[in-house]
Amino acid sequence: MSLTHPSIRSRVSLEDWLGPFDCYISPTDGWLRPRFDLEGARELSSQTVRMAAEDGFDSMTTIHIVDGRADSGDTVHLVEGGPDRYSESDDPMVVALRIRWTGVGQDPVHAVSISHATPKDIKAARKRKVSGRGPRRAVVVQVEWQWLFRDGDATSAVDICPPRPDGLYGVGDGHWPWTYVEWTCACGSVWNWHEDQCGTCDLTRDGQPEHQPTT
């Protein structure tokens, strides 16, 4: 992959409840802002949705990936969360994404319109599927359900995460409390994941002895 700015591979997590995730970072950033390839974004999506399903959507942010083709017709996709705790209904909250696939490659943010799902949207999502044989496209969506439950405004609770010029996605960019995954050398020194050689004894991360020596 050709990167447009100095980046190195590393691994991050969100404390002890999400991760680890392979990523790219810029060492010059003052704040840890990992960038993910599409495979990494899919893994992040899987973990956030699974956690929300287990612990409740009303305090979670989830990531979703919608796949399509550059020459597909416009489609409607539904993103479903849990029930609104301020409502008497047990029906889940559903966000509708109307995607203009011919515009996703140039400007994915403005190629997607966002709203609460109406019966018309639900019918459209069931009826029309992604078609075409053009280049593959992906829309990365971040839903902050806590804001959707709180004020009911779908546009303020949903963000489209566009790829950067290097093709990577800055999910939770500058806002999530990412931390580096660490590894411990046989000598006892602790290093961030991308620091793959121990500065104390020169052993590498992948060259650790199978049985660490005892003291």
Side-chain angles (χ1 to χ4, degrees), residues 143-167:
V143 184
E144 296 183 84
W145 293 101
Q146 59 270 41
W147 293 111
L148 190 67
F149 288 122
R150 187 174 302 172
D151 59 24
D153 182 0
T155 58
S156 66
V158 182
D159 289 313
I160 306 301
C161 303
R164 297 174 177 274
D166 53 20

Side-chain angles (χ1 to χ4, degrees), residues 75-202:
T75 58
V76 177
H77 294 263
L78 305 179
V79 179
E80 185 174 304
D84 183 351
R85 58 179 170 172
Y86 299 111
S87 171
E88 295 181 357
S89 172
D90 291 330
D91 293 337
M93 298 287 285
V94 184
V95 173
L97 308 173
R98 300 169 190 82
I99 303 178
R100 181 171 53 86
W101 289 104
T102 56
V104 167
Q106 292 74 36
D107 188 353
V109 173
H110 292 95
V112 181
S113 61
I114 304 160
S115 69
H116 285 287
T118 65
K120 184 178 179 180
D121 294 327
I122 295 173
K123 182 178 179 180
R126 292 173 178 168
K127 183 178 180 181
R128 190 165 189 180
K129 304 301 181 183
V130 172
S131 59
R133 298 183 178 181
R136 295 183 182 276
R137 296 285 185 258
V139 175
V140 178
V141 185
Q142 176 176 307
V143 184
E144 296 183 84
W145 293 101
Q146 59 270 41
W147 293 111
L148 190 67
F149 288 122
R150 187 174 302 172
D151 59 24
D153 182 0
T155 58
S156 66
V158 182
D159 289 313
I160 306 301
C161 303
R164 297 174 177 274
D166 53 20
L168 302 175
Y169 297 86
V171 181
D173 196 359
H175 301 288
W176 290 11
W178 294 107
T179 57
Y180 288 117
V181 171
E182 297 177 334
W183 63 279
T184 302
C185 183
C187 72
S189 299
V190 179
W191 304 92
N192 292 329
W193 191 259
H194 55 277
E195 299 168 320
D196 58 1
Q197 184 171 21
C198 177
T200 303
C201 70
D202 292 334

